[in-house]
Amino acid sequence: METVTLGPTGTYSHRAASAVTDDGISFAESVRGIADAVANGDADRGVVPIENSIEGSVTETLDTLADVELAVVREVVTPVRHALIAQSENFDTVASHSQALAQVRDYLDENYPDADREAVASTAQSVEIARDDPTVAGIAHPDNATGDLQVIAEDIQDRTSNSTRFFVVAPPGERSRAGGKSSFVVYPNANYPGLLLELLEPFADRDINLSRVESRPSGERLGDYLFHIDVDAGLYEDRTQAALDEIEAIAADGWVRRLGSYDVEHVV
């Protein structure tokens, strides 16, 4: 089973994908590229980051799930362990993905206040830059320190609770009703006082916990939004179906996308 995720080898996305499959893993340059590969049948599964506990939701993934018809079949949560990796302690620049740099800001301010900071495409790319350039240190998982590279310091993230959620996406025909969580995208195609309350009350009335609610611009017009909703309930439950029936009536001029139900796996 071919699984596609964000590359290159050694990224946190790659680590999450490795927990999903023992078969082949290929890489795409964007979340949209992953979604298109799955939707077009070029890959069986895609692994995309959906939310980081510090930096928040990955908006590219939210927008892609609204644009491309896919099923969410699994959630993988992996802790983020950042290490400072370089050929030696004599470096002038710290490079990494922009989110990784943000997640170690306090450490760098305290220990390397004079070092330049450079945002690059991925944590793994920062390691390869450090491998080629002794004046650059990368920030990535400590397992990436191979060859001439060494771990200068590890677990340098500002918060020890730092973790990232990944969605495993599949073709829409594999959407499941079974699982402890469910996700939806709701486009009401309307805007009036109390609209959001109307969309949330069907869940509250049935004692369904909302684990995430987020709005994103619809792209149709200024001030027009759609909503991403995660709930702690499965589509197999009558209460979930009843709540969705109400929401679909409210969004009769728009649409509701049932991404599916799934279980959550925590991996190191």
Side-chain angles (χ1 to χ4, degrees):
M1 182 172 66
E2 184 74 15
T3 299
V4 61
T5 191
L6 294 173
T9 300
T11 60
Y12 284 97
S13 292
H14 182 215
R15 295 180 66 83
S18 298
V20 170
T21 181
D22 294 325
D23 297 325
I25 297 175
S26 60
F27 299 115
E29 296 183 356
S30 66
V31 171
R32 184 57 185 259
I34 295 170
D36 288 342
V38 175
N40 296 335
D42 296 327
D44 302 288
R45 294 286 186 271
V47 177
V48 295
I50 186 70
E51 183 181 19
N52 177 263
S53 60
I54 295 176
E55 295 301 305
S57 295
V58 181
T59 55
E60 183 186 5
T61 301
L62 296 181
D63 295 342
T64 297
L65 290 174
D67 289 341
V68 182
E69 184 76 21
L70 293 170
V72 175
V73 296
R74 190 170 169 187
E75 179 182 310
V76 176
V77 179
T78 181
V80 175
R81 293 186 57 213
H82 287 317
L84 189 65
I85 298 173
Q87 296 184 31
S88 72
E89 296 187 14
N90 300 317
F91 55 84
D92 304 318
T93 300
V94 178
S96 195
H97 189 275
S98 58
Q99 283 204 352
L101 289 172
Q103 292 163 10
V104 300
R105 184 183 295 114
D106 291 347
Y107 172 83
L108 293 179
D109 287 346
E110 180 178 351
N111 293 278
Y112 298 96
D114 297 326
D116 294 330
R117 301 177 194 182
E118 179 182 352
V120 297
S122 68
T123 55
Q125 186 183 46
S126 76
V127 174
E128 294 311 308
I129 294 173
R131 196 183 306 279
D132 295 334
D133 188 343
T135 68
V136 176
I139 296 172
H141 191 279
D143 287 353
N144 287 280
T146 58
D148 294 334
L149 295 175
Q150 58 181 295
V151 174
I152 306 301
E154 62 181 298
D155 290 325
I156 62 174
Q157 58 273 5
D158 296 334
R159 300 185 188 180
T160 57
S161 61
N162 191 0
S163 60
T164 298
R165 299 170 61 214
F166 293 86
F167 275 169
V168 181
V169 296
E174 297 189 38
R175 186 176 296 117
S176 174
R177 292 163 52 90
K181 291 182 70 176
S182 301
S183 292
F184 319 101
V185 186
V186 180
Y187 176 53
N189 194 23
N191 186 16
Y192 54 83
L195 171 60
L196 181 57
L197 178 61
E198 286 186 22
L199 293 173
L200 302 184
E201 278 185 330
F203 296 113
D205 291 344
R206 293 166 177 83
D207 199 30
I208 298 174
N209 183 55
L210 297 168
S211 54
R212 185 174 63 92
V213 179
E214 189 149 359
S215 63
R216 289 291 297 159
S218 69
E220 298 295 329
R221 54 189 176 273
L222 188 64
D224 191 48
Y225 295 92
L226 50 79
F227 301 93
H228 292 261
I229 300 174
D230 294 348
V231 301
D232 293 333
L235 282 168
Y236 69 91
E237 299 182 54
D238 291 341
R239 59 175 183 159
T240 310
Q241 293 293 339
L244 283 173
D245 287 343
E246 286 193 34
I247 290 169
E248 287 175 337
I250 295 169
D253 292 333
W255 47 263
V256 176
R257 177 167 295 163
R258 305 184 183 203
L259 296 175
S261 296
Y262 50 87
D263 288 320
V264 181
E265 178 182 353
H266 293 260
V267 299
V268 177

